[in-house]
Amino acid sequence: MTSATTIAAHPDTIAAAEPATAPVTTVPPVALALLGLQHVLVMYAGAVAVPLIVGRALKLPPDQVAMLVSADLFACGLATLLQSWGLPGIGVRMPVMMGVTFAAVTPMVAMGTNPEIGLTGIYGAVIAAGLFAFLVAPLIGRLLPLFPPVVTGTIILVIGVSLMKVGVNWAAGGIGNPDYGAPLHLAIAAFVLCVILAITRYGTGFVNSASVLIGIVAGMLVAAAFGLVDLGHVATASWFDVVRPFAFGAPTFDPVSIVTLCIVMIVVMIESTGMFLALAEICADPVDEKRLTRGLRGDGLGTVIGGIFNTFPYTSFSQNIGLVGVTGVRTRYVAVVGGFIMLGLGLVPKLAALVEAVPQCVLGGAGLVMFGMVGATGVRILGAVDFARNRNNLFVVAVSVGFGMIPLVAPAFFKQMPHALHPLLESGILLCAIAAVSLNLFFNGLTGDEAARAAARHQAASSEH
């Protein structure tokens, strides 16, 4: 990885000024391969977090959690190729790496733990939401005024705070663990956290970008020394296997679950819009309405593929967009290579079993950083909001965060409401989104299209880390 780090430090040596649409020949093949691998390693920890969260929340056996990880990596590769390489009318064709969005985690866990919905209901809702996103992609630009920074920043803040519950429970050893809260678990989680913070403070280039992954590897080695790592499933897992569609059975379609994930996809596409616009500025490669629509269709079709291959909704990963700026390598073929690497990783069950074997206390130390960064990104976006001259924005944030916290602090709050509405009402993210959009319209009305696009670009720039 030394070569990739050198490239990151000296991007001018490999035609950094080329736009995203530049031919592959502008970057030497070895450098292209190393940079593609670097993009994969930077996003890897975040990419596998969602299947681990969902699989363990649904109390799936280890082999099925490992299958979710394999399916996720495989679908990540397909979705990345859709966006970066593209198909006719689909894909933004820029250096975009795709991964499962954290925004869908809380509602999906609520669906999956409902015995009337379960995993097949999740996948039915994912497929339907992906089709919805594909069809409404041309209209998303018109929805941007509904999602100014005061709305999106609040939603992202609540996503991070909601996920923090998962990270904290992981750090204690995981819910259901008879040794929950044991000092050893807390010490290992703290060790992982300290490693990540030290690398972030003193590391440079690729090492700094992959601090979370390196922290997890270091934590797993320490956990293994204390006998907390069970590699039995790794030993029995095969080296190669295909990812089978509908491995958990035919999808089922619950109307409320579908509406819930459709709302999530609107938020995801608004965020993707900002990412594409910010990346266009980094790459000096303009994005017009037609190209933006192609990119959002890529989100939709990638999400459909996710539902078919036993995984979840997809979006562009902001840390990879930041990495494009760091390396200066703007050709889309870096992401194409990364997509093929993800496809290959998804076909290695032994690797997925190794990910599943990572103790939850190790993941907890990393989760505090990953999920905390999501919340911090929301705070940073809100930092651009004018609270001094427009005090109404304070009410938008305050009340929306309050709604978003209801399922977290009072899980039985909506117990007497109709059962069919529980997937919606038990998602703080969805409650926050509905409240924030409604309150912003009430207090501030709609912004203009150009102002909305400028705000989306600024938001995406704030999200890069």
Side-chain angles (χ1 to χ4, degrees):
M1 295 312 302
T2 304
S3 299
T5 307
T6 303
I7 290 166
H10 303 285
D12 293 337
T13 62
I14 50 173
E18 295 292 344
T21 52
V24 67
T25 52
T26 60
V27 180
V30 174
L32 193 68
L34 288 173
L35 285 161
L37 178 61
Q38 180 170 316
H39 271 281
V40 170
L41 293 175
V42 164
M43 69 174 290
Y44 190 84
V48 301
V50 174
L52 289 175
I53 295 170
V54 175
R56 287 172 174 169
L58 272 54
K59 296 181 172 56
L60 298 179
D63 60 325
Q64 291 187 353
V65 175
M67 188 179 71
L68 288 183
V69 173
S70 287
D72 176 47
L73 294 172
F74 183 80
C76 275
L78 288 178
T80 297
L81 291 174
L82 276 176
Q83 283 290 21
S84 57
W85 201 344
L87 294 173
I90 301 171
V92 74
R93 300 187 183 185
M94 299 178 81
V96 173
M97 296 292 292
M98 301 287 285
V100 176
T101 175
F102 285 119
V105 170
T106 305
M108 289 191 304
V109 169
M111 296 172 200
T113 52
N114 183 338
E116 297 179 7
I117 299 175
L119 261 178
T120 57
I122 291 177
Y123 295 137
V126 169
I127 292 170
L131 291 172
F132 166 80
F134 187 91
L135 294 175
V136 304
L139 306 176
I140 289 300
R142 300 177 185 177
L143 294 178
L144 276 177
L146 292 173
F147 292 86
V150 69
V151 172
T152 51
T154 303
I155 294 171
I156 293 171
L157 170 61
V158 169
I159 290 171
V161 173
S162 298
L163 289 171
M164 191 59 73
K165 178 181 178 181
V166 175
V168 170
N169 282 317
W170 275 354
I175 295 176
N177 188 332
D179 292 328
Y180 182 92
L184 178 60
H185 293 156
L186 302 182
I188 291 175
F191 169 77
V192 173
L193 178 60
C194 290
V195 169
I196 294 171
L197 295 178
I199 293 173
T200 302
R201 172 65 177 85
Y202 299 107
T204 58
F206 162 74
V207 173
N208 183 284
S209 299
S211 59
V212 173
L213 180 62
I214 296 170
I216 291 174
V217 172
M220 190 166 182
L221 293 175
V222 172
F226 284 96
L228 296 181
V229 178
D230 180 5
L231 298 179
H233 294 287
V234 180
T236 58
S238 59
W239 280 103
F240 175 83
D241 197 6
V242 297
V243 178
R244 295 170 179 81
F246 306 125
F248 292 93
T252 56
F253 299 92
D254 174 68
V256 175
S257 298
I258 291 171
V259 171
T260 300
L261 286 194
C262 284
I263 296 174
V264 169
M265 285 307 297
I266 292 175
V267 175
V268 167
M269 289 192 290
I270 296 294
E271 187 178 4
S272 290
T273 297
M275 296 294 179
F276 297 150
L277 294 174
L279 189 57
E281 293 186 0
I282 293 172
C283 296
D285 192 16
V287 171
D288 57 16
E289 294 296 334
K290 184 179 293 187
R291 192 173 185 188
L292 180 60
T293 297
R294 292 204 313 263
L296 296 177
R297 282 177 180 157
D299 278 9
L301 185 55
T303 297
V304 172
I305 289 172
I308 293 172
F309 284 100
N310 321 299
T311 182
F312 311 111
Y314 283 87
T315 187
S316 56
F317 263 33
S318 62
Q319 55 263 53
N320 291 92
I321 292 175
L323 187 60
V324 172
V326 170
T327 63
V329 180
R330 305 168 184 176
T331 174
R332 64 191 173 110
Y333 291 101
V334 170
V336 170
V337 171
F340 278 116
I341 293 173
M342 297 292 277
L343 274 177
L345 294 176
L347 299 176
V348 184
K350 196 172 285 291
L351 177 62
L354 181 62
V355 172
E356 193 282 328
V358 177
Q360 295 194 52
C361 58
V362 173
L363 293 173
L368 292 176
V369 177
M370 288 191 294
F371 307 147
M373 283 298 292
V374 175
T377 297
V379 172
R380 188 159 61 174
I381 293 170
L382 289 173
V385 175
D386 185 356
F387 292 106
R389 288 181 295 179
N390 185 354
R391 291 187 67 253
N392 291 335
N393 285 329
L394 290 171
F395 290 95
V396 175
V397 176
V399 177
S400 300
V401 169
F403 270 82
M405 291 297 97
I406 289 173
L408 193 65
V409 301
F413 189 85
F414 293 112
K415 185 177 181 180
Q416 302 301 322
M417 297 296 287
H419 188 68
L421 295 177
H422 281 198
L424 174 62
L425 298 176
E426 291 173 2
S427 170
I429 297 165
L430 270 297
L431 292 175
C432 173
I434 293 169
V437 170
S438 302
L439 289 169
N440 180 66
L441 285 174
F442 176 71
F443 284 117
N444 299 324
L446 288 174
T447 58
D449 287 345
E450 280 306 311
R453 287 173 69 92
R457 282 193 293 270
H458 180 78
Q459 172 186 321
S462 298
S463 299
E464 292 164 22
H465 52 270

